[in-house]
Structures are given as structure tokens and as C-alpha cells.
Amino acid sequence: MPDLQLPAPAKLNLFLRILGRREDGYHRLQTLFQLLDFGDQLDFELRANSEISVDAGSLQIPLQENLIYRAAHLLQQRTGCTGGAYIRLHKNLPLGGGIGGGSSDAATTLLGLNQLWQCHLTLNELAQLGRQLGADVPVFVRGRTAWAEGIGEVLTPVVTETRHYLVLVPDCQVSTAAVFGDPRLTRDSAPITLAHLRDRWLDSEWLEEYSGNDCQPLVESLYPAVRAAKDWLQQFARAHLTGTGACVFAAFDSAQTAESILAKAPAGWRGLVAAGVQESPAHRQLKAVSKITGA
Ligand SMILES: C[C@@](CO)(OP(=O)(O)O)[C@H](O)COP(=O)(O)OP(=O)(O)OC[C@H]1O[C@@H](n2ccc(N)nc2=O)[C@H](O)[C@@H]1O
Ligand SMILES: Nc1ncnc2c1ncn2[C@@H]1O[C@H](COP(=O)(O)OP(=O)(O)O)[C@@H](O)[C@H]1O
């Protein structure tokens, strides 16, 4: 029996605007991270020594490159903690899908080991640590559906309408670095503001107006499978790319509607249905076993 079991939820980028590029090559974004109630699962077991080992199941990644291992190692280095752990990954999320599987695994590792090793880092400190592993890690550490700026790490929690998302998983992996490095990417969207939305639900009407993903035209032109998935889903509802892809999604009022459309997808296509949530399932689970420290 593991000492701790935690989910690592997926995210969608309900929209993604690219405002420009920084000198270090990173892009300035405005995006809305919607957390989902579906994801990977991580089991943690404490070790008597300081060794970190990861059983990544079918995921074929060298240990030193696995974001789970890297997160655990970083936490050890940052805190001087001498604890060790055996971590088992149950992978449900597709790789290179733009739904943040690797980043969420890293965040769940930081949250879980901070608890098990009793490091007592605050969420702010863990988010800063997570930023070293990837621009998407902080939102999973903070664990709230959020409006994001900067390179994706300046986060403001927002409340979204509860929707059920049908996410299609095209049969290709998209490299985030390759998309952001492509000279054809559009990088000049005008900034928008969330100020007028304070104290209001971020409703579908608002999202319709601002939805869209600046990576979508480029990714569709590079990956015909992404375009095919988007065109098919578009018959039923407005469909968008999440992150740099490859997944595309559309929102529905009920899980049954989303499931019934998924059932009509062409043979061999993969997809999933998940509900949007305001709080990360990892945080909910962690709160059930202890109190998360910090703001
Ligand atoms: C685009 C987004 C949107 O949510 O999602 P994904 O499609 O990867 O899920 C993210 O910002 C991705 O975050 P993440 O996958 O953690 O990125 P990182 O590992 O930090 O960076 C991968 C590469 O993407 C580029 N990158 C990433 C984020 C950003 N704001 N500007 C960039 O230019 C950098 O060239 C970097 O080398
Ligand atoms: N634990 C992990 N889970 C998934 N991908 C990982 C993990 N550790 C490292 N990676 C690497 O990160 C890459 C992108 O990860 P992933 O989070 O699945 O994509 P995206 O950011 O597009 O959602 C993968 O192709 C893989 O090489």
C-alpha cells in the first residue's frame, strides 16, 4: 500500500494569445488554464535511504529526463531533504497533447513529496521551483483554474462555468519547442484584460468572443491529423486547439452529450470526456490527508 496516492490532472487552454517574444526566446502569453477532473495517478512510497526511483510503466523515458524524477531531485536539492521515494506513475494522459501531462506529474510530485518528506515549502515556493521544470508547472502547483500571463506563470484564479469537454487526441505528438521556434507563428496579438470580469462568472459568451489559439493555424498546417480532428468536432460545437496541441476540444453542457458525440467519432480515433473543475483534484486529495501550507 503506497504512503500517498495523488492525481495529476490535465488542463486545457480555453484560449491562448501570443503577445510577443522575450529576449530569452520565451513567449509572452495570455491564456486561460482550465483544470480537468481527469489525469494521471501517482503512488508514493517513502524510502529508508535517499534514493529516488520511478516506475513509469509504459512511458519510455530515461529516468533523468522524467519530469517526476527531475521534480523529486530538485526538491531534494532545494531543501537538503535526505528522504527518498519510490514513485509509480499510472499514465492516462497522451504525450505531447497540450494537456499538460508531464507538467502535472511534476507538480503532483512536488506537492506529494513536500508533504511526505515534511519539507514545509509554501505553495509559492513550490511554484517557483516548478517554474524551473516548465512554464506550465506553476498552474498545477497552485491548483486553481486560472488566467495566466507572463510566460504562463503569472496566475490569477478565475471561476469558469462548469462545462464538459470532449477532447480528441489526434495520432501525433506536437513538440512545444518546435511550434514556438517556428518563424511562421503569429506573435502579435493585442493584450486583453480580465479587470471587467472580477466578481463575475467567466461565461461562455465571453469565451466565444476571446476564444481562439494563436498556435492553431500553424499546428493545423503542420499536422493534418489535428486539422481533421478540429474539422470533425466543429460539426457539433466550436472546436479549438489546446496549448501547442495536438489535442482539440469542444465544450458541452453535459457529459452524456459529449460522450454521445465521442461515440460517433471515426473508427480508431481516440478521445476523452472530462469536466472542468475550479480546484485541482490533487489539492482536494491532499487537503483530505493534511493541510497545505502557505498561500
Ligand atoms: C504552450 C503551453 C501552454 O499551456 O502548453 P503545452 O502545449 O506545452 O501543454 C505552455 O506554455 C508550454 O509550457 P511547458 O510545456 O511547460 O513549456 P517549457 O517546458 O517551459 O518550454 C518548452 C519550450 O517551449 C517554448 N516556450 C514555452 C512557453 C512559453 N511561454 N514560451 C515559449 O517559447 C520554449 O522554447 C521552450 O523551450
Ligand atoms: N512524466 C512525464 N509524462 C509525460 N511526458 C514527460 C514526462 N516526463 C518527461 N516528459 C516529456 O515531456 C514531453 C511533453 O510532455 P507532455 O506534458 O505530455 O506534453 P504537453 O506539454 O504537450 O501536454 C513528452 O513528450 C516527454 O518527452
Side-chain angles (χ1 to χ4, degrees), residues 250-292:
F252 297 94
D253 288 337
S254 74
Q256 290 91 321
T257 307
E259 294 281 5
S260 70
I261 292 169
L262 178 56
K264 294 181 197 155
W269 283 27
R270 282 193 301 150
L272 59 97
V273 171
V277 291
Q278 310 306 324
E279 183 183 27
S280 164
H283 287 242
R284 278 211 310 274
Q285 175 69 16
L286 214 39
K287 275 183 192 163
V289 289
S290 83
K291 274 197 127 164
I292 300 176

